[in-house]
Amino acid sequence: MPEMQRDVYDEDHDAFRDMMKEFIKRHVTTEKMQQWDEAGEVDRETMRLAGEHGVIGLSVPEEFGGAGMLTDYRFRSVVNEELVRVGAGSSLAGAVGIQDDLAVPYIARFGTDAQKQKWLPRMATGEVLGALGMTEPGAGSDLRAVSTTAKKVDGGYLVNGAKTFISSGRTADMVVTFVKTGEGNRPDAFSLIIVEDGMAGFDHSRTLHKMGFQGHDTAELSFSDVFVPDENLIGGVEGRGFVQLMENLPLERLSIGAVAAAVGQAALEWTLEYTANREAFGQPIADFQNTRFRLAEMATAVDAMWAFVDRAMRLYERGGLTADEAAKIKFWCTEREWEILDQGVQLHGGYGYITEFPIARAFLDARVHRIYGGTNEVMREIVARAVTGRK
Ligand SMILES: Cc1cc2nc3c(=O)[nH]c(=O)nc-3n(C[C@H](O)[C@H](O)[C@H](O)COP(=O)(O)OP(=O)(O)OC[C@H]3O[C@@H](n4cnc5c(N)ncnc54)[C@H](O)[C@@H]3O)c2cc1C
């Protein structure tokens, strides 16, 4: 397949991509991916190897042992592209993404020096895995309706409540948890606090069974009078949690858009290969005009997604990725991803429905891209507010 002309990468990214391919050849085998699917999580040794090879920890600042790429998403995108291509989008790519895009940034951007010292070096090596706990059984899109509380007591906080749908929640050693530290639902009523595995009253063992993302755990968390010391309050000051979330959400949404583009590209590649080799009525199905037109549409959509994502990566690096630009990327790319996958499944015929085929698994995995990270309806609301200037 002719490569799309993308001008965001330089020779450092090309070298990193070569290293990724080598890492995948050695450590992301078909057997490993099967094991992850069966276990519902990526094994710790692979996460450690990912740390050793610089696949995880890209967003950790250099002084704490990472690659210092918190505002440069290009290396992260290379990780996504290569893992998705081999079918590890629903396992290792997810686990790495949660660490680098959802957990590390809160410590790296807003943590106290002591918090950075304590967590970041071990997050860079993959030894400590993090998660981000915002959503609750009764509050998803409407985040300010959360009811998990952190009540001030001597030397710390008592946390009570529950979170649900937390990616990496079971495997996490620490969860950056969105809690209420004040009354009402004004932005300053919320804080982020680190709840650690092993703290008395913290249970993160209940796994949720999903239609896709089989190799990556999603869990319910419950907090029953969990004592969390003052030193775990992110940034050391109460009332900043909502603003901290809002500041990092553009990165989370860029990351989902970039994954969607990577999945779209992989789906196109799988479908090109399949339709070239499958015959019907004495000819490759790639030669039917309908197939040619669908492949042309898919390829065009993939190019458009990359053009959009690459622009967003540049904006992000310059500090200019606004909430509405990030919302556009998230909803538009995941909608195109969905259409591309649907076409790809159709062109695979019956095999497109069989989960031995990567296109079928990617289809199941991708459904959640239009839901998490803020639903696509909420994304359209954010864009509409910016476009119309009306609340
Ligand atoms: C596999 C998976 C992994 C996840 N990982 C995490 C994670 O790591 N951390 C975390 O905190 N959360 C996570 N989530 C939660 C996810 O972000 C939420 O499910 C999502 O934000 C939607 O919230 P909800 O499920 O409560 O749906 P609701 O908010 O109840 O929404 C239900 C429907 O109503 C619509 N709706 C709501 N408000 C509006 C509105 N204003 N206008 C129009 N329509 C609206 C929604 O678009 C949706 O269609 C994950 C979810 C899944 C399924």
Side-chain angles (χ1 to χ4, degrees):
M1 168 192 159
E3 289 284 319
M4 184 205 170
Q5 298 291 323
R6 294 178 64 200
D7 60 2
V8 282
Y9 294 134
D10 58 31
E11 58 275 17
D12 289 344
H13 303 100
D14 296 342
F16 183 71
R17 192 183 295 278
D18 290 342
M19 187 286 297
M20 263 314 287
K21 287 184 195 287
E22 198 50 39
F23 174 81
I24 287 170
K25 211 186 293 169
R26 289 173 55 196
H27 304 300
V28 189
T29 58
T30 309
E31 298 73 47
K32 277 273 195 79
M33 286 190 279
Q34 267 166 10
Q35 283 167 18
W36 300 337
D37 280 359
E38 278 159 27
E41 64 187 54
V42 177
D43 65 282
R44 282 294 176 136
E45 176 58 7
T46 301
M47 297 310 284
R48 196 195 59 72
L49 285 166
E52 199 177 296
H53 289 79
V55 173
I56 199 170
L58 281 164
S59 62
V60 174
E62 278 173 306
E63 66 260 45
F64 299 106
M69 295 293 159
L70 183 56
T71 57
D72 181 350
Y73 201 73
R74 291 173 296 174
F75 289 95
R76 284 279 308 114
S77 189
V78 171
V79 170
N80 295 335
E81 289 162 38
E82 295 307 318
L83 289 175
V84 161
R85 181 173 275 138
V86 298
S90 58
S91 50
L92 187 54
V96 170
I98 295 298
Q99 179 92 330
D100 270 341
D101 306 337
L102 269 72
V104 163
Y106 290 99
I107 319 277
R109 282 190 215 276
F110 313 116
T112 61
D113 286 344
Q115 287 164 351
K116 291 178 186 171
Q117 294 287 355
K118 176 173 177 183
W119 296 107
L120 293 177
R122 288 180 303 145
M123 292 180 94
T125 59
E127 186 191 338
V128 164
L129 298 181
L132 176 66
M134 300 179 285
T135 308
E136 300 190 356
S141 303
D142 184 8
L143 264 183
R144 285 201 260 170
V146 297
S147 57
T148 297
T149 53
K151 195 166 167 286
K152 188 76 191 89
V153 291
D154 198 21
Y157 293 84
L158 276 188
V159 177
N160 279 288
K163 298 283 173 187
T164 193
F165 306 138
I166 308 307
S167 302
S168 298
R170 184 180 67 201
T171 41
D173 302 291
M174 54 89 93
V175 181
V176 174
T177 310
F178 186 59
V179 290
K180 279 191 85 160
T181 40
E183 296 301 317
N185 71 350
R186 284 180 18 189
D188 62 4
F190 304 95
S191 302
L192 289 169
I193 198 165
I194 299 168
V195 180
E196 300 177 37
D197 176 47
M199 284 181 162
F202 175 43
D203 181 2
H204 56 125
S205 60
R206 191 171 125 64
T207 306
L208 297 165
H209 298 282
K210 311 182 288 289
M211 69 162 85
F213 273 92
Q214 301 303 348
H216 185 206
D217 61 293
T218 306
E220 275 186 1
L221 321 179
S222 79
F223 312 87
S224 175
D225 279 339
V226 184
F227 176 78
V228 182
D230 284 331
E231 68 203 40
N232 283 21
L233 182 71
I234 290 195
V237 182
E238 273 183 27
R240 298 204 176 150
F242 190 75
V243 172
Q244 289 164 345
L245 276 190
M246 293 306 119
E247 281 188 33
N248 200 58
L249 279 174
L251 167 61
E252 182 175 343
R253 290 168 184 162
L254 166 62
S255 77
I256 297 171
V259 167
V263 173
Q265 179 172 334
L268 172 63
E269 289 168 5
W270 298 326
T271 309
L272 281 168
E273 194 187 336
Y274 183 81
T275 54
N277 292 312
R278 174 79 174 173
E279 295 207 347
F281 300 96
Q283 65 174 61
I285 54 173
D287 291 342
F288 293 116
Q289 191 187 48
N290 176 68
T291 310
R292 294 165 59 77
F293 284 8
R294 299 294 161 232
L295 290 170
E297 286 164 7
M298 290 164 75
T300 307
V302 170
D303 281 5
M305 285 161 94
W306 280 131
F308 202 8
V309 167
D310 289 349
R311 186 187 74 143
M313 289 202 285
R314 286 201 189 87
L315 282 173
Y316 179 62
E317 198 175 356
R318 293 203 303 265
L321 185 69
T322 57
D324 54 297
E325 285 293 330
K328 284 180 194 164
I329 285 285
K330 196 269 172 180
F331 95 74
W332 193 84
C333 289
T334 57
E335 298 288 348
R336 299 297 77 74
E337 173 195 29
W338 184 246
E339 291 163 5
I340 290 169
L341 283 166
D342 189 45
Q343 287 296 349
V345 166
Q346 190 70 18
L347 291 175
H348 278 69
Y351 295 101
Y353 198 66
I354 304 302
T355 54
E356 270 169 51
F357 281 72
I359 192 89
R361 281 201 303 276
F363 181 79
L364 292 171
D365 297 337
R367 187 61 188 85
V368 79
H369 287 163
R370 291 158 63 213
I371 297 171
Y372 68 19
T375 67
N376 283 8
E377 292 72 39
V378 171
M379 295 304 98
R380 287 177 174 92
E381 274 296 328
I382 294 171
V383 175
R385 269 203 295 273
V387 170
T388 64
R390 301 165 81 89
K391 289 239 163 197

